[in-house]
Amino acid sequence: MTKIISQEGLEEFQALVDGIRPLTQDKKHFGTPVKTRAELEEQAPKLAVSHYFSDTFQPLLPTEGPMRWRADHADNLVLKRLRRGDYVPDLILDLHGMRQTEAKLELAALVEAAIREQCQCVSVMHGYGTGVLKQQLPLWLAQHPQVLAFHQAPKEWGGDAALLVLVDLGDLPHRR
């Protein structure tokens, strides 16, 4: 079925479209934007935290006595040395007043800084408070592949409001 356009209709159409230019095709493709180096460096700790720390993972931790944990491949004497205070922490992280998400980021940054600075032992102070961080901190630390062991800190490093954490430096030379 073809429609026949009258001469008047054609003239009206010509008057309406007179002076209109065709659109030029722009070459922009709307994909994922390229991120700057600063944005990537800012996101790296967050990705590490989401990779290492899960809130649903439940490692086998003691229910009585001081909080302690040792990786399967770690030496049996590691916990005893941590308990006695043979290791002196080179870095100290204070988590007082932080939310869980902030504490996760800071904990991941602490482990990465300990590896970068070749610090074998670090201290994490979670405080007493409501006990949320005290409960979650061991669960997170037990998931990190670079954590060899942790034990409730001796009195001089915070007592039961802190943990001493032993970081695996791999084959890197380290102090003791």
Side-chain angles (χ1 to χ4, degrees), residues 100-138:
Q100 283 189 33
T101 53
E102 296 168 337
K104 271 188 196 180
L105 287 172
E106 291 298 320
L107 189 61
L110 174 72
V111 174
E112 295 301 319
I115 294 168
R116 186 176 55 251
E117 300 293 325
Q118 297 182 9
C119 301
Q120 188 178 19
C121 184
V122 295
S123 176
V124 182
M125 298 182 72
H126 49 73
Y128 296 106
T130 60
V132 174
L133 289 180
K134 184 175 185 172
Q135 181 182 5
Q136 287 296 116
L137 195 63

Side-chain angles (χ1 to χ4, degrees), residues 58-132:
Q58 293 291 322
L60 184 59
L61 295 173
T63 55
E64 296 178 11
M67 181 53 64
R68 61 199 178 278
W69 177 84
R70 175 182 62 86
D72 294 334
H73 63 279
D75 186 20
N76 290 334
L77 296 175
V78 167
L79 284 177
K80 184 176 183 179
R81 288 180 175 165
L82 280 172
R83 179 179 50 83
R84 287 191 314 203
D86 289 353
Y87 294 103
V88 176
D90 297 316
L91 297 174
I92 298 174
L93 174 64
D94 189 359
L95 298 176
H96 285 97
M98 289 189 187
R99 295 185 180 98
Q100 283 189 33
T101 53
E102 296 168 337
K104 271 188 196 180
L105 287 172
E106 291 298 320
L107 189 61
L110 174 72
V111 174
E112 295 301 319
I115 294 168
R116 186 176 55 251
E117 300 293 325
Q118 297 182 9
C119 301
Q120 188 178 19
C121 184
V122 295
S123 176
V124 182
M125 298 182 72
H126 49 73
Y128 296 106
T130 60
V132 174

Side-chain angles (χ1 to χ4, degrees), residues 10-72:
L10 188 59
E11 288 173 5
E12 280 181 37
F13 179 74
Q14 287 291 340
L16 288 173
V17 295
D18 189 33
I20 295 178
R21 293 177 285 121
L23 295 173
T24 59
Q25 174 65 35
D26 55 359
K27 305 284 188 219
K28 291 189 179 181
H29 296 282
F30 298 99
T32 55
V34 178
K35 296 183 179 180
T36 64
R37 182 181 205 112
E39 290 173 333
L40 291 174
E41 287 175 357
E42 181 181 323
Q43 274 187 335
K46 293 178 184 176
L47 291 175
V49 168
S50 65
H51 176 72
Y52 291 133
F53 304 137
S54 167
D55 289 329
T56 58
F57 178 71
Q58 293 291 322
L60 184 59
L61 295 173
T63 55
E64 296 178 11
M67 181 53 64
R68 61 199 178 278
W69 177 84
R70 175 182 62 86
D72 294 334

